[in-house]
């Protein structure tokens, strides 16, 4: 089990969290926040695609 206080992300998670932060969504503060930020980004992208195809 990892120590979330000391190192909340694995290296892979950190890479994706940085990507999400660069997109303006944020990366969350822990694995659950990370998943929520990922979901928010995907919803935003889906909505943008719907606007473009209308």
């Amino acid at each position: 089990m990892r120590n979330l206080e000391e190192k909340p992300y694995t290296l892979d998670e950190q890479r994706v969290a940085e990507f999400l932060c660069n997109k303006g969504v944020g990366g969350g503060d822990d694995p659950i926040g990370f998943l929520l930020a990922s979901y928010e980004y995907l919803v935003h992208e889906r909505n943008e695609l719907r606007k473009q195809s209308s």
Side-chain angles (χ1 to χ4, degrees):
M1 183 184 252
R2 65 179 146 176
N3 181 343
L4 295 177
E5 295 296 322
E6 188 176 309
K7 191 172 183 180
Y9 297 114
T10 65
L11 293 177
D12 291 337
E13 290 169 340
Q14 180 65 38
R15 185 173 159 214
V16 177
E18 288 173 8
F19 169 81
L20 292 171
C21 286
N22 289 336
K23 294 294 182 180
V25 178
D29 295 329
D30 56 29
I32 300 299
F34 170 80
L35 289 173
L36 293 172
S38 299
Y39 175 76
E40 185 177 332
Y41 177 70
L42 291 172
V43 168
H44 172 75
E45 288 293 299
R46 180 201 63 201
N47 291 341
E48 288 299 313
L49 287 172
R50 284 183 177 169
K51 286 180 189 176
Q52 291 174 11
S53 64
S54 296

